[in-house]
Amino acid sequence: MNFSMKFPSPMKWAAIPAITLFSAVGTFAQDNRSPAATALSGGILICALLIGLGIYVYIALAVQTIAEKTNTENPWLAWIPIANVILLLNIAKKPIWWIVLFLIPLVNIVIIVMIWMAVAEARNKPSWWGILMIVPGVSIIVPGYLAWAE
């Protein structure tokens, strides 16, 4: 099958999740489960993708707002997956080579906390807000607070 057709941009972006879901259906077709179980699995996959996309957009908006309020150059880098880490390092005024430390297990947790503590200080907030990034539910609230709280 040849996927090299020229799609208009919105159609291309709509085709990517559709192809992903169709490939998941092929996996479930090998199973002896009922069609309802397959539909439920597809529904769960779609919900997980939408929730993940919503969280990504929220975090990107928060990091972009933090970059704008701290007068960091190129705040649009918040939307690019690895470049947003580089943007956070610039906001926190940490060296770029720290991105290597994100690849080391357990060290990356400490580095994330240190970076978010420096981001909180850059926004003139208490640095203990960065420590809250290790708490699973609260880690979604912290970027929003640092971005939009006065």
Side-chain angles (χ1 to χ4, degrees), residues 53-67 75-80 84 87 143 147-148:
L53 180 66
I55 291 172
Y56 182 80
V57 167
Y58 167 75
I59 297 292
L61 277 172
V63 171
Q64 182 179 9
T65 305
I66 291 169
W76 53 270
L77 288 175
W79 296 94
I80 303 171
N84 61 5
L87 180 64
W148 295 294

Side-chain angles (χ1 to χ4, degrees), residues 44-122:
I44 290 171
L45 179 65
I46 289 173
C47 288
L49 287 173
L50 289 176
I51 290 170
L53 180 66
I55 291 172
Y56 182 80
V57 167
Y58 167 75
I59 297 292
L61 277 172
V63 171
Q64 182 179 9
T65 305
I66 291 169
E68 289 170 353
K69 289 187 176 183
T70 58
N71 295 323
T72 306
E73 59 185 34
N74 301 326
W76 53 270
L77 288 175
W79 296 94
I80 303 171
I82 295 178
N84 61 5
V85 176
I86 295 171
L87 180 64
L88 278 173
L89 289 170
N90 287 338
I91 294 169
K93 296 185 178 34
K94 302 291 182 195
I96 298 297
W97 66 265
W98 275 31
I99 201 165
V100 174
L101 298 175
F102 277 92
L103 303 174
I104 304 171
L106 299 178
V107 173
N108 59 0
I109 297 170
V110 174
I111 294 302
I112 288 170
V113 169
M114 290 175 61
I115 288 171
W116 279 101
M117 287 174 67
V119 168
E121 289 174 356

